[in-house]
Amino acid sequence: MSLANTNAMFRRANEQKYAIGAFNVCNMELIQGISKACFETKSPVIFQISAGAKRYAGRKFLSEIVKIAVEETGIEAALHLDHGNSLELCKECIDNGFTSVMIDASHLPISENIQITQQVVEYAQEKNVSVEAELGQLVSYENHKNDSNYTDPEQACEFILKTKINSLAVAVGTSHGAYKFKNKVQPFLRFDIIEKIRNMIPDFPLVLHGASSVDQNIISQLLDYGTDLRNAKGVPEGMLKKAAKTAICKMNIDTDLRLSAFLALKKFLSSNPNGTDPRSYFETIRDSVKNTVIRKIKGILGSENKAVV
Ligand code: G3H
Ligand code: 13P
Ligand code: ZN
């Protein structure tokens, strides 16, 4: 199986009401853990590489490992640039085998966001590469009260029509990292905003960034190991499940993989003080990532048995 763009994946996800997991990768073990999980569950998947991951491992290293993993397992997969911050970076990825790119100009005034997104779409379309863009700000929890940070439904429609993007990342209450909601503040997702966009442009693929649930069981184990994650809080699984079943086609998950990998490493090191062979501790990371992805696919995304290969 070779890599494909996200268009057909999203069409099916919309029709059959599930979401595709988009997992951030930065090394071979993560890629293998995710591929194995998707192979075993027959789930489609998006591997995504951020600018930071590219700096760490190199674009070519990561994209080639993804290609090998997809060839070996035969899974249905896309290779996506996460939070591309310039036309040049998007072009570089489009020219080098990525099947999907995100241009994130959400911090710019809307007219500039539209302009740069149009340029990326124009370049990507010729090569059959999908484009995701973002509207609104994924702000930290202190700024949730400011409504202007959320995606404005009317603006979203104008943006989609003008740019001809393939999917839109919406700001509806989530943020990146392990601290999504202030302590004692009830977690929420602005389903009303999602609903409004859906009513205006039915079935347009919407993307949820910051879709980690920050499993409290993992947090309490990490706290016991001395990791300072007090008050870490993610999006409750029930809300994510509802989002996947209703309108969200793609869920971006990075933090939950980091947390599970880190806990696996902590556990390994505490019970194997002499375990110097990197294969032994990287293997435990690979297994924990695989299990986390399987839990996401079965418990939240609903993408099990949805791969078309
Ligand atoms: O959206 C951001 C992702 O979590 C990637 O994080 O830039 O540290 O690789 P990173
Ligand atoms: P999390 O930090 O919730 O995993 O979100 C990751 C993300 O949105 C990557 O683009
Ligand atoms: Zn993101």
Side-chain angles (χ1 to χ4, degrees):
M1 191 71 188
S2 55
L3 292 164
N5 70 27
T6 55
N7 301 352
M9 271 187 197
F10 288 164
R11 204 172 317 119
R12 281 185 279 122
N14 249 326
E15 282 164 9
Q16 296 173 42
K17 305 204 177 309
Y18 60 88
I20 316 279
F23 300 100
N24 286 76
V25 293
C26 64
N27 70 8
M28 181 186 78
E29 284 74 13
L30 265 65
I31 294 168
Q32 289 179 330
I34 296 163
S35 328
K36 280 187 177 186
C38 296
F39 173 75
E40 285 181 20
T41 56
K42 299 186 175 62
S43 172
V45 69
I46 299 169
F47 293 93
Q48 52 185 21
I49 296 173
S50 68
K54 176 178 176 269
R55 267 195 305 278
Y56 171 71
R59 172 188 47 72
K60 192 162 182 204
F61 263 107
L62 290 178
S63 57
E64 292 301 319
I65 297 171
V66 168
K67 279 181 209 156
I68 292 165
V70 171
E71 265 166 39
E72 282 198 348
T73 54
I75 56 175
E76 184 187 13
L79 174 61
H80 175 77
L81 167 67
D82 191 28
H83 292 282
N85 59 2
S86 68
L87 177 60
E88 289 64 40
L89 177 57
C90 290
K91 279 183 171 175
E92 180 192 329
C93 292
I94 292 166
D95 290 342
N96 286 284
F98 282 57
T99 57
S100 174
V101 293
M102 175 188 191
I103 174 69
D104 182 359
S106 56
H107 54 288
L108 297 176
I110 175 115
S111 58
E112 289 173 48
N113 190 351
I114 289 176
Q115 198 184 15
I116 185 170
T117 302
Q118 280 171 335
Q119 289 171 320
V120 174
V121 170
E122 199 177 314
Y123 195 81
Q125 262 176 357
E126 274 178 27
K127 308 211 173 184
N128 202 22
V129 167
S130 320
V131 178
E132 172 186 328
E134 180 171 315
L135 206 55
Q137 303 291 315
L138 297 189
V139 290
S140 63
Y141 53 67
E142 288 87 359
N143 295 319
H144 275 159
K145 285 201 185 89
N146 185 350
D147 244 24
S148 68
N149 290 317
Y150 299 118
T151 304
D152 176 76
E154 262 109 45
Q155 223 174 43
C157 291
E158 183 199 345
F159 187 84
I160 290 166
L161 295 174
K162 282 193 172 155
T163 58
K164 301 191 170 51
I165 47 171
N166 303 100
S167 60
L168 179 72
V170 287
V172 290
T174 61
S175 56
H176 293 115
Y179 297 88
K180 301 190 192 297
F181 300 99
K182 199 174 180 142
N183 201 22
K184 296 198 180 107
V185 168
Q186 275 303 104
F188 65 93
L189 273 188
R190 291 287 303 270
F191 283 102
D192 57 317
I193 294 177
I194 295 175
E195 202 52 39
K196 276 188 190 152
I197 300 173
R198 293 288 277 189
N199 287 338
M200 286 192 256
I201 306 199
D203 293 340
F204 189 79
L206 300 178
V207 178
L208 189 68
H209 282 241
S212 283
S213 57
V214 189
D215 184 342
Q216 291 304 306
N217 180 32
I218 292 185
I219 296 299
S220 74
Q221 292 183 68
L222 283 172
L223 285 170
D224 288 344
Y225 278 110
T227 310
D228 187 0
L229 280 162
R230 277 167 296 170
N231 302 326
K233 207 190 272 184
V235 188
E237 292 199 353
M239 280 183 203
L240 292 168
K241 210 169 163 171
K242 180 177 166 191
K245 266 191 176 302
T246 49
I248 297 294
C249 283
K250 170 176 180 265
M251 286 200 183
N252 283 20
I253 299 168
D254 183 4
T255 299
D256 281 347
L257 297 191
R258 294 181 186 199
L259 293 173
S260 88
F262 194 52
L263 178 60
L265 184 59
K266 287 271 190 193
K267 280 184 180 169
F268 177 88
L269 294 177
S270 79
S271 51
N272 296 278
N274 301 318
T276 56
D277 185 340
R279 288 170 294 190
S280 52
Y281 48 89
F282 285 133
E283 183 172 40
T284 185
I285 289 174
R286 183 168 62 189
D287 288 346
S288 80
V289 166
K290 176 186 149 190
N291 292 332
T292 302
V293 172
I294 290 178
R295 274 200 302 278
K296 296 281 174 200
I297 288 169
K298 292 187 175 181
I300 292 173
L301 300 161
S303 60
E304 190 178 13
N305 292 320
K306 301 294 187 188
V308 171
V309 289

